[in-house]
Amino acid sequence: MLMLLNTPYALSLSRSLASSSFPSPPTRRLLSISSTFALPPPRFAHSSLVSSRVSPSFRTQASAATSTMGDAPDVGMDAVQRRLMFEDECILVDESDNVVGHESKYNSFAPLSLASVVAITDNRLSHLWEKILTGKMLHRAFSVFLFNTKYELLLQQRSATKVTFPLVWTNTCCSHPLYRESELISENHLGVRNAAQRKLLDELGIPAEDVPVDQFVPLSRMLYKAPSDGKWGEHELDYLLFIVRDVNVHRNPDEVAEAKYVNRDQLKELLRKADAGEDGLKLSPWFRLVVDNFLFKWWDHVEKGTLKEVSDMETIHKL
């Protein structure tokens, strides 16, 4: 843990905060820095809110701090990805998919969403590869495979600003159910279905009424671990959800660089290019695992309308 609390620099930061102009005294008190902490102060919802309330002198000193401390985990993140890292709490599970806890993506109790600037905690992300290697960051995830009524699969290319696996091609939507009541419901896997519906809107602009939760067919679960760039990675227990619907796509450029439908032959050509390294094309590791182990045989059932016949939610495939 980096402890700057009793240093002259920390006191300087504290004085800068104390002299800043804030809209109300309670907010001002939340941002003060002291040498001891009883409970972690509340996190702010958006970094833009914090930015508007921090004095120019603090920003100047904070900038100097980052230059001397080296790269913090959120350096290089855009505003959207930083917000998701700070606010979202993943559901931690064991290898049998039992909930064992929850963890914010940005594992910090610091009072600012720009916590790495203050550098008063050991700021780490649940997606940091060094933490994944401890075996304590396994979290629940889902992967949606959406087909239209021509039985073409909707793929997306992840945006360049994604922290993990930027610009790789993958299935329709991949994310995490959050530690909230509506996404923890275990009955009929409703929590994961609710999360899938939420993220299809967030990433691809598909409204909830176009993808009713009862239309998602959970086919199986898989457990995998994969590094992204040496610093970040994934360790997930992934629910594989299939759905057949005609939808209008309005992609969110902060999340999705490109989206397109492919038939079987077009997907096989993408696989060939990825294997050959052509055009710099890359596929996400979880998508490739599904393709290599399940997708084409399940595609047959998509076309026959018999997906529920191959659903196996008792098995967790360790891939």
Side-chain angles (χ1 to χ4, degrees):
M1 180 179 290
L2 295 173
M3 295 299 293
L4 302 181
L5 297 177
N6 294 318
T7 65
Y9 181 72
L11 295 176
S12 174
L13 290 180
S14 180
R15 285 193 292 270
S16 292
L17 285 167
S19 63
S20 302
S21 297
F22 293 89
S24 64
T27 304
R28 183 174 181 175
R29 284 197 297 273
L30 283 174
L31 294 178
S32 63
I33 297 179
S34 65
S35 59
T36 60
F37 284 87
L39 290 173
R43 297 187 183 101
F44 287 101
H46 298 283
S47 59
S48 59
L49 174 64
V50 175
S51 178
S52 67
R53 294 180 177 180
V54 176
S55 68
S57 62
F58 174 75
R59 294 194 193 97
T60 300
Q61 294 177 65
S63 177
T66 56
S67 66
T68 59
M69 291 186 303
D71 286 349
D74 66 343
V75 169
M77 293 184 200
D78 76 343
V80 172
Q81 296 303 320
R82 185 181 291 113
R83 174 178 60 79
L84 293 174
M85 288 298 178
F86 278 86
E87 293 183 4
D88 287 356
E89 287 199 331
C90 295
I91 302 169
L92 299 184
V93 295
D94 62 20
E95 292 193 357
S96 297
D97 200 19
N98 299 306
V99 177
V100 298
H102 55 98
E103 184 63 80
S104 60
K105 287 187 176 182
Y106 202 101
N107 184 19
S108 169
F109 63 71
L112 302 175
S113 62
L114 299 177
S116 61
V117 172
V118 185
I120 60 175
T121 66
D122 180 23
N123 290 325
R124 292 294 186 268
L125 191 70
S126 64
H127 288 69
L128 273 172
W129 190 241
E130 66 184 61
K131 290 201 74 174
I132 289 172
L133 292 176
T134 69
K136 298 178 181 179
M137 287 294 122
L138 177 62
H139 52 275
R140 191 173 288 166
F142 63 84
S143 292
V144 174
F145 292 74
L146 185 150
F147 295 80
N148 60 21
T149 52
K150 295 190 291 184
Y151 307 121
E152 297 169 321
L153 173 61
L154 180 61
L155 302 182
Q156 67 154 279
Q157 184 184 34
R158 292 162 64 86
S159 77
T161 60
K162 283 288 199 181
V163 174
T164 57
F165 303 100
L167 293 177
V168 305
W169 281 92
T170 191
N171 50 285
T172 312
C173 180
C174 332
S175 192
H176 315 93
L178 302 181
Y179 194 81
R180 58 176 64 165
E181 184 177 1
S182 63
E183 297 183 12
L184 282 164
I185 302 171
S186 59
E187 184 178 359
N188 296 321
H189 316 291
L190 182 57
V192 175
R193 297 185 200 205
N194 286 335
Q197 187 185 68
R198 170 178 58 82
K199 285 304 292 183
L200 284 169
L201 175 61
D202 288 350
E203 295 190 1
L204 294 162
I206 301 173
E209 56 267 26
D210 287 356
V211 282
V213 291
D214 62 358
Q215 294 300 301
F216 291 101
V217 180
L219 287 187
S220 195
R221 293 173 290 175
M222 69 176 187
L223 192 157
Y224 77 95
K225 183 188 296 182
S228 176
D229 59 359
K231 181 177 182 180
W232 308 103
E234 292 283 8
H235 189 200
E236 297 183 329
L237 201 153
D238 197 6
Y239 283 65
L240 307 178
L241 307 177
F242 276 49
I243 185 170
V244 181
R245 302 285 291 185
D246 286 325
V247 299
N248 292 315
V249 174
H250 304 282
R251 65 179 179 84
N252 174 358
D254 289 319
E255 296 278 2
V256 178
E258 189 177 343
K260 65 180 178 181
Y261 284 95
V262 295
N263 59 31
R264 294 185 195 226
D265 290 338
Q266 290 167 333
L267 178 56
K268 289 176 181 177
E269 177 63 11
L270 282 178
L271 298 175
R272 186 196 67 76
K273 287 185 175 182
D275 289 343
E278 290 184 18
D279 304 325
L281 192 147
K282 296 181 180 180
L283 303 178
S284 73
W286 60 88
F287 179 48
R288 190 61 193 253
L289 285 171
V290 175
V291 169
D292 290 345
N293 289 278
F294 311 113
L295 181 58
F296 288 107
K297 62 183 178 183
W298 285 346
W299 208 318
D300 292 336
H301 290 276
V302 169
E303 296 177 353
K304 295 175 183 177
T306 55
L307 275 174
K308 292 183 179 180
E309 293 181 9
V310 291
S311 177
D312 175 15
M313 295 305 293
E314 297 300 319
T315 303
I316 297 175
H317 301 274
K318 297 183 179 181
L319 303 175

